[in-house]
Amino acid sequence: MKVFMAKCRAFGLGKLMAGVAALAMGLVLAVPALAESMVGAPAPWGMGLQPSGGVIKERISSFNSMVFWIITVITIFVLILLAYCVWRFREERNPVPSTTSHHTGLEIAWTVIPVLILLVIAIPSFRLLYFQDRAVDADMTITVQGRQWYWNYTYADHGNFTFDSYPIQEADLKPGQIFKLSVDNELVIPVGASIRVLTTGHDVIHSFFVPALGIQKYTIPGRTLETWMRADRPGIFYGQCNQICGTNHWFMPIAVRAVPRAEFDTWVADAQKRFAQADGSAPVIAAAPASQDSLQIAEARR
Amino acid sequence: MANPSYAHHDDHHDHKPGFVSRWFFSTNHKDIGTLYIIFSLVAAVVGIGISLLMRLELMYPGMQIFSDGQMWNAYISAHGLIMVFFVVMPALIGGFGNWFVPIMIGAPDMAFPRMNNISFWLLVPAFMLLAASLFVGEGPGAGWTIYPPLSDSTFHSGPAMDLALFSLHLAGASSIMGAANLVTAFLLLLAVPVLAGAITMLITDRNFGTAFFRPEGGGDPVLFQHLFWFFGHPEVYIMILPGFGIISHIISTFILILPGFGMISHIVSTFSKKPVFGYLGMAYAMVAIGGIGFVVWAHHMFTVGLSLQTQSYFVFATMVIAVPTGVKIFSWIATMWGGSMRLDTPMLFAIGFIFLFTVGGVTGVVLANAGIDQVLHNTYYVVAHFHYVLSLGAVFSIYAGFYYWIGKMCGRQYPETLGKVHFWMTFIGVNLTFFPMHFSGNQGMPRRYPDYPEAFWGWNYVASIGSLISVASFLFFFYIVWVTLRSGAKAAANPWGAGATTLEWQVASPPPFHTFEEIPRMR
Ligand code: HEM
Ligand SMILES: [Cu+2]
Ligand SMILES: [Cu+2]
């Protein structure tokens, strides 16, 4: 904490220059760097949505930019009208008020034009909604369960192994890890695979939220909800529990790591040995992943 | 016009009751209105005080003020409930509604004066219960939305949550009785009983072994959310909408009074010295907002697993609301257009309201898209949205109403320059507080967090600075109140000139204890 305050204070001109330089370099290097491995996390002073790690988030972002421009224009328009009124129609400049209090044409215009604008928004909005609802052709299924205050993940298609994912305490952080975002056991997924995500509840409601992948769903006791995600770039994507769930609501982060298919297979083989099965029996030793074929589809899609 | 001689005419009938019967057993709409306004100021000190603690906590990452997340959760829940039920509703509906609706329609008092009294006096124990809940056990830490299972007895076992729920029950009863007097009851009568039912089920789940919302007993936590938001969405709108029951009066007398919208229309028209533009359109827009407001509730629940068709419907219905909202904004502007505007403090707050409400309205349209809401739901973007429309909308209309009517209410006019300084301080403070929340929300910062990853620090810091300015402006407001009451200039019957044509400006400032003893004649 103290260190951080000091850092904040040191956020001076030098830092700013370094920041600008880094930003410039970042822009130049951004394209190849993205192809390598990206980090989906909030950025200091970030203003827009997080970078996109996959197709759902990409579509959200592009639709969001469209809506953003529309609402910005509307807001500035209203601001200009207000400013003009204040300037032009104040007592000193306009001593005699007009008596007009109706104008049918105007009133129709400010009803119909907003309707048209909303139509322009609604059409892509529904398209996005239908796209992000569930995977058309899922390559694998993962079950996500929010618990007070950690996450539990189950790989139903890979021998049903299950494990818990806890946040890392400040003292145990390794270099490169982010406090309040990094976890001990990440949710590992293959790049390019469409993953059916089933969320289930355990105690209270939590929300599985990974901004850079454009996914969010509550985990509700007594219900199983379906959604999906796909990482189209390798990297790590952080998220946080997003529904108030008790004292440590703020400290149950999510980390999704997207890796190439081969790496994923190695990880699965290892995970099957390390983690218990969801039904409580011992880890399966070296069982072949159930959905090899579907992973091939994912590979092909890439 | 009404006959201006009532004021004198009434004076010798002006026998006030003694202190106890005047203030404790009051059936006088003006006295009850005053009680409401004082109550809401007291509650605001508590509610805004808590928000200051929250912003100080969030100024830097790490825990600095609150001992743990549970304590934080209890305080944020209290903040939300206090601001909604004990500040905004009492000030707008109880305070200004009581004070001015009867005068403006020329009625001697409210239709049910005794119910009016109990409506106020229910609020006091309600507030005490809520305050007490903070100091009992671990406090009611489930947010103002009190979703089970977090709010049930498994996860909040102590009596704190029960205290908070009973507090809500009393506050709801108070709202209903208060509103029965203004014809606003229509909205509240439909909404509040649904909340009351949901809370009752939650209380029996907690204490008597029922399982309305307990999955292990066949209940459904999502049902609670439907009930809560069926109440909650109209509720948040009620705070900003006028009682459109008095529309019939409005049409004949041209009074668009009552919370938020109504008051703003009224003030904009007074200070532009023009009648409200597109009067009928405005009235229809309000009816539309109130009506559609009842069928959009699940836009708060896009991530609970609603079917695609259901989501599509709620996206559509929510967007439809933006149309009448736009009609109101453009009609206000058109009312100013061609006017001869006085920029006194009430008008500044009214113009500020229109701008802030526009900002909140357009971010509402963003959130209405379930597709985008998937990355904005429960983030600070939502917090920014509803503070712009609700908190700032409501607070700016309360301030506008206060400056507009304080001379009428207490007979002394506020100091104009100080009022303007107060406006600018508030405007800068709240924008600095809430605008950056759009950014942290976009970046994915979840709400109801006492601590956050360092990357979120920057905008949180700015917001905290903004809140310091806002709190300073609130204290400055108290100073203005003090100056006004102590040494304000004597207020004329009508300080606002030709634009002020409604009845309250025809009577003395302050009006006599019984404003009208006979129905005023109007032309
Ligand atoms: C153009 C009009 C509006 C639209 C389209 C709109 C839309 C929305 C949507 C979709 C949400 C849910 C966001 C989420 O939780 O993910 C929301 C939240 C909210 N809105 Fe609005 N809104 C509008 C106007 C208003 C007004 C006028 C008020 C109150 C005066 C208001 C108060 C709120 C509140 C309090 C919440 C958050 C409740 C909570 O979760 O605690 N909104 N709005
Ligand atoms: Cu959680
Ligand atoms: Cu709503």
Side-chain angles (χ1 to χ4, degrees):
Chain A
M1 207 21 247
K2 290 239 171 56
V3 184
F4 182 77
M5 308 260 277
K7 258 197 277 174
C8 300
R9 272 184 226 110
F11 185 82
L13 199 63
K15 274 265 168 85
L16 202 66
M17 302 284 281
V20 172
L23 195 72
M25 298 229 324
L27 281 181
V28 178
L29 298 176
V31 180
L34 272 187
E36 286 300 296
S37 168
M38 69 171 281
V39 177
W45 299 103
M47 295 166 83
L49 297 180
Q50 284 188 19
S52 302
V55 59
I56 302 177
K57 174 61 185 7
E58 261 157 30
R59 293 207 189 182
I60 292 176
S61 286
S62 68
F63 175 52
N64 183 57
S65 323
M66 177 190 124
V67 180
F68 172 77
W69 286 117
I70 294 177
I71 66 168
T72 305
V73 169
I74 293 174
T75 308
I76 292 176
F77 178 60
V78 169
L79 193 60
I80 290 174
L81 289 179
L82 285 174
Y84 181 77
C85 282
V86 168
W87 171 73
R88 175 66 188 80
F89 299 116
R90 58 196 306 167
E91 212 166 30
E92 301 87 70
R93 287 210 84 197
N94 199 40
V96 184
S98 92
T99 51
T100 318
S101 64
H102 293 284
H103 189 294
T104 312
L106 255 182
E107 291 180 50
I108 291 179
W110 68 47
T111 311
V112 173
I113 295 174
V115 169
L116 295 180
I117 295 177
L118 287 172
L119 274 182
V120 169
I121 296 178
I123 291 164
S125 178
F126 286 127
R127 210 172 280 154
L128 172 64
L129 182 60
Y130 278 70
F131 177 74
Q132 71 187 178
D133 182 49
R134 52 191 65 184
V136 181
D137 202 356
D139 301 307
M140 57 184 274
T141 300
I142 294 177
T143 305
V144 170
Q145 194 169 67
R147 299 181 179 176
Q148 283 182 323
W149 289 275
Y150 60 96
W151 295 92
N152 170 273
Y153 302 121
T154 304
Y155 285 63
D157 295 341
H158 300 86
N160 219 18
F161 65 86
T162 182
F163 61 90
D164 298 333
S165 175
Y166 280 90
I168 298 183
Q169 300 296 331
E170 186 160 25
D172 304 331
L173 286 174
K174 296 193 192 67
Q177 289 187 325
I178 308 174
F179 185 36
K180 290 166 245 177
L181 287 180
S182 293
V183 301
D184 57 356
N185 294 313
E186 291 156 349
L187 178 68
V188 179
I189 58 171
V191 173
S194 295
I195 293 155
R196 175 185 295 121
V197 176
L198 301 179
T199 68
T200 64
H202 179 73
D203 34 47
V204 302
I205 300 175
H206 303 263
S207 186
F208 181 75
F209 176 40
V210 186
L213 295 178
I215 181 176
Q216 166 157 233
K217 209 62 146 188
Y218 283 3
T219 72
I220 304 176
R223 291 198 175 210
T224 301
L225 310 179
E226 178 179 345
T227 182
W228 71 293
M229 63 182 178
R230 193 168 94 202
D232 293 305
R233 290 168 200 84
I236 180 149
F237 308 97
Y238 294 104
Q240 291 168 285
C241 176
N242 201 18
Q243 175 60 35
I244 187 169
C245 60
T247 189
N248 283 345
H249 168 48
W250 58 279
F251 199 44
M252 48 180 294
I254 299 157
V256 178
R257 183 178 292 281
V259 297
R261 151 82 204 289
E263 210 176 304
F264 177 73
D265 288 343
T266 327
W267 179 83
V268 165
D270 180 53
Q272 284 166 335
K273 286 189 218 122
R274 280 201 299 144
F275 300 126
Q277 278 182 271
D279 59 16
S281 52
V284 216
I285 311 293
S291 62
Q292 277 292 3
D293 315 14
S294 55
L295 276 180
Q296 242 105 60
I297 302 173
E299 195 67 355
R301 191 180 284 152
R302 279 209 301 138
Chain B
M1 281 300 130
N3 181 341
S5 69
Y6 299 115
H8 316 284
H9 170 93
D10 263 2
D11 276 346
H12 44 94
H13 295 283
D14 209 13
H15 36 72
K16 295 184 182 116
F19 182 83
V20 172
S21 50
R22 174 163 183 196
W23 295 110
F24 287 86
F25 307 135
S26 183
T27 51
N28 179 298
H29 70 99
K30 290 184 292 258
D31 287 350
I32 295 180
T34 305
L35 287 174
Y36 266 115
I37 291 175
I38 295 172
F39 176 89
S40 118
L41 278 174
V42 172
V45 171
V46 181
I48 292 179
I50 295 178
S51 77
L52 178 65
L53 292 181
M54 287 155 55
R55 277 314 331 162
L56 289 175
E57 173 65 67
L58 293 173
M59 200 156 177
Y60 297 101
M63 298 290 267
Q64 21 261 329
I65 291 182
F66 292 88
S67 54
D68 59 23
Q70 179 61 28
M71 184 187 178
W72 164 267
N73 290 348
Y75 275 81
I76 58 154
S77 313
H79 167 73
L81 292 170
I82 290 173
M83 297 312 283
V84 168
F85 288 99
F86 301 109
V87 178
V88 173
M89 295 277 289
L92 280 177
I93 299 192
F96 297 136
N98 263 309
W99 245 101
F100 290 105
V101 170
I103 302 188
M104 291 172 107
I105 63 179
D109 206 306
M110 286 295 192
F112 311 108
R114 279 167 212 285
M115 199 148 91
N116 206 9
N117 175 295
I118 196 167
S119 156
F120 173 77
W121 285 106
L122 279 179
L123 267 187
V124 177
F127 189 59
M128 280 160 38
L129 284 177
L130 184 62
S133 75
L134 274 180
F135 301 100
V136 174
E138 49 175 21
W144 84 283
T145 50
I146 44 171
Y147 284 2
L150 185 58
S151 57
D152 75 21
S153 54
T154 316
F155 299 99
H156 268 92
S157 51
M161 185 62 72
D162 294 298
L163 288 176
L165 294 174
F166 282 123
S167 161
L168 273 184
H169 253 322
L170 290 182
S174 155
S175 295
I176 286 218
M177 292 203 236
N181 265 311
L182 310 169
V183 199
T184 21
F186 173 72
L187 281 177
L188 275 163
L189 275 181
L190 217 58
V192 175
V194 177
L195 173 73
I199 294 178
T200 307
M201 290 186 253
L202 196 51
I203 291 176
T204 63
D205 271 12
R206 290 176 56 81
N207 298 297
F208 305 113
T210 56
F212 291 106
F213 308 125
R214 284 178 181 268
E216 63 274 26
D220 182 4
V222 175
L223 172 64
F224 179 85
Q225 301 185 16
H226 281 292
L227 296 175
F228 183 87
W229 288 116
F230 185 88
F231 148 82
H233 183 88
E235 166 74 15
V236 296
Y237 255 99
I238 285 164
M239 287 187 264
I240 211 87
L241 260 186
F244 51 66
I246 53 168
I247 276 172
S248 45
H249 298 297
I250 296 168
I251 292 178
S252 53
T253 61
F254 228 65
I255 303 160
L256 268 166
I257 153 64
L258 255 200
F261 281 8
M263 248 161 60
I264 296 296
S265 311
H266 183 65
I267 291 172
V268 168
S269 141
T270 303
F271 286 81
S272 310
K273 305 199 192 83
K274 276 183 65 197
V276 173
F277 189 95
Y279 182 76
L280 208 59
M282 289 282 245
Y284 281 132
M286 286 200 284
V287 175
I289 293 173
I292 306 169
F294 273 98
V295 292
V296 297
W297 74 88
H299 63 213
H300 298 273
M301 303 166 57
F302 284 140
T303 54
V304 306
L306 299 176
S307 75
L308 258 185
Q309 289 75 12
T310 315
Q311 287 188 61
S312 308
Y313 160 74
F314 280 105
V315 168
F316 174 77
T318 305
M319 284 193 172
V320 169
I321 280 215
V323 176
T325 308
V327 168
K328 303 217 61 100
I329 288 173
F330 291 118
S331 302
W332 285 321
I333 295 176
T335 305
M336 292 189 234
W337 199 271
S340 177
M341 268 157 69
R342 294 176 57 143
L343 293 176
D344 303 283
T345 310
M347 187 60 168
L348 290 183
F349 274 104
I351 297 174
F353 168 94
I354 296 175
F355 175 70
L356 297 173
F357 196 76
T358 306
V359 173
V362 294
T363 57
V365 171
V366 175
L367 293 169
N369 297 287
I372 301 183
D373 191 54
Q374 186 142 317
V375 291
L376 293 181
H377 174 63
N378 267 354
T379 68
Y380 263 81
Y381 194 92
V382 175
V383 178
H385 157 71
F386 71 74
H387 278 93
Y388 266 85
V389 275
L390 176 101
S391 323
L392 306 188
V395 167
F396 272 56
S397 43
I398 291 173
Y399 279 144
F402 179 85
Y403 286 108
Y404 184 53
W405 279 316
I406 182 66
K408 181 57 58 185
M409 292 191 287
C410 73
R412 288 177 182 276
Q413 195 63 334
Y414 66 92
E416 185 60 50
T417 318
L418 295 190
K420 289 196 166 116
V421 172
H422 175 230
F423 167 78
W424 284 109
M425 257 176 103
T426 310
F427 190 77
I428 293 169
V430 296
N431 278 293
L432 209 55
T433 309
F434 294 111
F435 207 81
M437 293 184 184
H438 294 112
F439 306 146
S440 37
N442 270 337
Q443 286 276 300
M445 175 158 167
R447 65 195 283 206
R448 296 162 169 169
Y449 269 34
D451 189 7
Y452 48 80
E454 287 188 3
F456 289 126
W457 169 72
W459 295 122
N460 273 289
Y461 183 74
V462 176
S464 292
I465 299 292
S467 83
L468 293 178
I469 300 176
S470 311
V471 170
S473 80
F474 183 59
L475 295 178
F476 187 63
F477 173 68
F478 273 89
Y479 172 70
I480 294 181
V481 173
W482 188 70
V483 169
T484 307
L485 295 181
R486 250 186 76 93
S487 54
K490 174 126 188 43
N494 173 13
W496 305 126
T501 56
T502 40
L503 265 183
E504 80 270 33
W505 306 114
Q506 324 283 329
V507 299
S509 305
F513 190 68
H514 298 294
T515 321
F516 310 108
E517 304 218 323
E518 53 193 66
I519 306 289
R521 267 171 294 129
M522 317 246 275
R523 261 192 291 135

